[in-house]
Amino acid sequence: MMAWLSIRFTNQPQRWAIAPAALMAFAAVFLLAWPGSVKHDSVNWIWPPVLLVLVVWMVIRIRQDLHSRTAAVLLYPLFAVLALAAIGGAYEIARERIDDGKYDMPGQLVDVGDHRLHLHCTGSGTPAVILEAGLGEPSTMMEGWIAPDVAKDTRVCAYDRAGRGWSEDASGPQDGVAVATDLHTLLHNGGIEGPYVLAGHSAGGAYVQNFANLYPDEVAGVVLLDSMSPNQYEGVPSWPGFYRMWVRASALAPSLSRLGTLRVVEQFSFGTLPSEQRNKERAFWSTARHWRSQRDEFHTLKTTLREARELKTLGAKPLIVVTAVKGAEDGWMPLQDDLAKLSTNSVHRVLADADHASLTEEEGAATKSAQAIRDVVLSVRTTKPLVQ
């Protein structure tokens, strides 16, 4: 626009602007034709210095060829934004490389078909507990407070869903059935014997419900930590609007993360986790890869919840539903009551002093989450009914 308008309507034609316009157009066509290129180090390392050099060159040309207030009012602020994007992008790439060498994978990668998933188990005993993290979460969240506590009593395993944490990417977005199938294959190929006690937080509870529906013989007990309900879209009035908003917002997050923007934001997150897990969480949540994974997960969430409706009952298998009261949306509590009806041997524990995130992030509330898991393990071992 600058090149064409200045040539057509002014006495200061800026023909040099054709060069950056052509370069940016080429980059756009390249990314559209080969979107996977953003995952390659060669592309990631090239664009920040190229953009910064381009900005410097444009500033020089503007100072030489344009003598009007347009430069100060419009162009220099734009160039400043582009320069900050280049610097932020270079910083983000460097930090990701540092983090790759800083945080070793604690478990193992297990082949589940066309990709491998990270599985980390600690403790000993049966039944094994499988921890399913919430929406967008890597395994490090569940390994902060909950896994070490549960490992005192039995074997406990946390894992990363595809595209998350140390796990490899799947071939495409995964719904609840795909995630449950992945987990089933992971546990069998990883040598973890069932039946299992499954514990899921938030959206992780929906994945647990899908697993219980698909593989009922491999489920000994269930713990739902402020779990999403299969009927959440209809039962929580604020949910549809939030879902539509976040679907749009999540599409922008991978691009913002490449500029280092989200790394700055995440430095103030997860402060109540143990230091090791806190730092890992911040490192994972700062990357474009993580946000691509969360974006895809959120886009398939409606399907995941619809699939979870197929679970009609757990029979008499022990089930504890833990619900946080603080910040609960209208309609949330009745849906939590409905989840507790999935088993004839169930307990619904309502925590007035906890919110949704604190059940895994904060030591006090997370201890109560771990206690619920240990209580289900004990009920499975002794075959005695649960107590409040």
Side-chain angles (χ1 to χ4, degrees):
M1 288 181 64
M2 180 181 177
W4 182 78
L5 292 175
S6 66
I7 294 171
R8 180 72 174 80
F9 296 106
T10 77
N11 61 357
Q12 297 185 61
Q14 305 296 310
R15 293 183 175 85
W16 61 267
I18 296 173
L23 180 60
M24 292 180 182
F26 171 78
V29 172
F30 176 80
L31 290 173
L32 288 172
W34 189 27
S37 62
V38 296
K39 301 179 183 179
H40 291 263
D41 284 348
S42 57
V43 174
N44 286 334
W45 278 114
I46 288 173
W47 76 263
V50 169
L51 179 58
L52 195 57
V53 169
L54 182 64
V55 169
V56 172
W57 180 75
M58 288 191 294
V59 169
I60 293 173
R61 293 307 304 261
I62 285 292
R63 291 177 65 86
Q64 292 176 347
D65 300 341
L66 183 61
H67 307 288
S68 76
R69 296 183 59 190
T70 302
V73 174
L74 179 63
L75 296 178
Y76 286 153
L78 174 62
F79 294 164
V81 171
L82 292 175
L84 287 174
I87 294 169
Y91 172 74
E92 176 60 29
I93 295 166
R95 280 298 306 269
E96 288 185 23
R97 298 304 168 269
I98 293 172
D99 290 343
D100 285 345
K102 186 176 180 180
Y103 301 118
D104 294 332
M105 181 177 65
Q108 60 178 324
L109 288 175
V110 179
D111 194 337
V112 297
D114 64 347
H115 57 281
R116 296 181 298 171
L117 298 183
H118 169 243
L119 176 68
H120 183 218
C121 299
T122 55
S124 61
T126 58
V129 172
I130 312 302
L131 301 176
E132 188 74 70
L135 183 69
E137 285 294 347
S139 59
T140 46
M141 177 60 73
M142 301 298 270
E143 292 196 297
W145 302 113
I146 293 178
D149 197 338
V150 176
K152 299 173 184 176
D153 284 352
T154 192
R155 191 177 196 187
V156 57
C157 300
Y159 84 105
D160 292 310
R161 294 190 288 273
R164 197 74 44 77
W166 288 277
S167 289
E168 296 176 349
D169 296 345
S171 57
Q174 294 185 302
D175 58 15
V177 169
V179 169
T181 303
D182 261 10
L183 177 57
H184 176 260
T185 305
L186 171 69
L187 296 174
H188 279 258
N189 291 354
I192 312 301
E193 295 184 1
Y196 318 102
V197 170
L198 301 173
H201 174 243
S202 188
Y207 295 126
V208 164
Q209 292 168 63
N210 274 290
F211 188 98
N213 178 59
L214 294 172
Y215 309 104
D217 294 339
E218 299 188 25
V219 178
V222 171
V223 180
L224 298 177
L225 304 173
D226 223 31
S227 168
M228 287 187 179
S229 163
N231 301 309
Q232 181 155 329
Y233 204 88
E234 299 80 13
V236 178
S238 62
W239 176 255
F242 170 78
Y243 182 85
R244 289 192 297 270
M245 178 276 295
W246 191 249
V247 164
R248 295 184 177 93
S250 64
L252 299 175
S255 297
L256 290 174
S257 64
R258 291 189 193 97
L259 305 180
T261 306
L262 297 183
R263 184 171 293 275
V264 175
V265 174
E266 296 304 337
Q267 297 313 302
F268 301 96
S269 304
F270 314 111
T272 55
L273 283 173
S275 59
E276 180 181 358
Q277 282 72 34
R278 177 193 65 213
N279 293 336
K280 289 178 180 178
E281 282 277 311
R282 289 174 176 174
F284 285 134
W285 277 82
S286 298
T287 65
R289 177 179 185 264
H290 179 91
W291 283 99
R292 284 196 302 269
S293 173
Q294 188 186 85
R295 174 202 62 198
D296 292 345
E297 184 176 18
F298 210 88
H299 275 253
T300 59
L301 188 58
K302 285 182 70 174
T303 302
T304 295
L305 295 177
R306 185 173 64 250
E307 293 165 343
R309 292 178 184 173
E310 297 301 316
L311 177 65
K312 305 302 182 183
T313 179
L314 293 167
K317 294 173 183 176
L319 164 67
I320 294 182
V321 175
V322 180
T323 303
V325 172
K326 285 185 177 180
E329 301 286 345
D330 291 341
W332 184 262
M333 293 301 295
L335 294 178
Q336 296 289 295
D337 290 332
D338 289 342
L339 290 174
K341 297 174 184 177
L342 285 171
S343 173
T344 58
N345 178 22
S346 69
V347 169
H348 187 186
R349 296 177 181 174
V350 179
L351 305 184
D353 58 346
D355 61 28
H356 185 73
S358 69
L359 292 180
T360 55
E361 288 188 32
E362 297 180 6
E363 183 175 11
T367 297
K368 295 178 182 178
S369 297
Q371 186 60 57
I373 297 171
R374 296 165 70 181
D375 289 345
V376 169
V377 168
L378 181 61
S379 178
V380 172
R381 286 175 177 170
T382 63
T383 68
K384 293 181 179 179
L386 292 167
V387 294
Q388 187 68 35

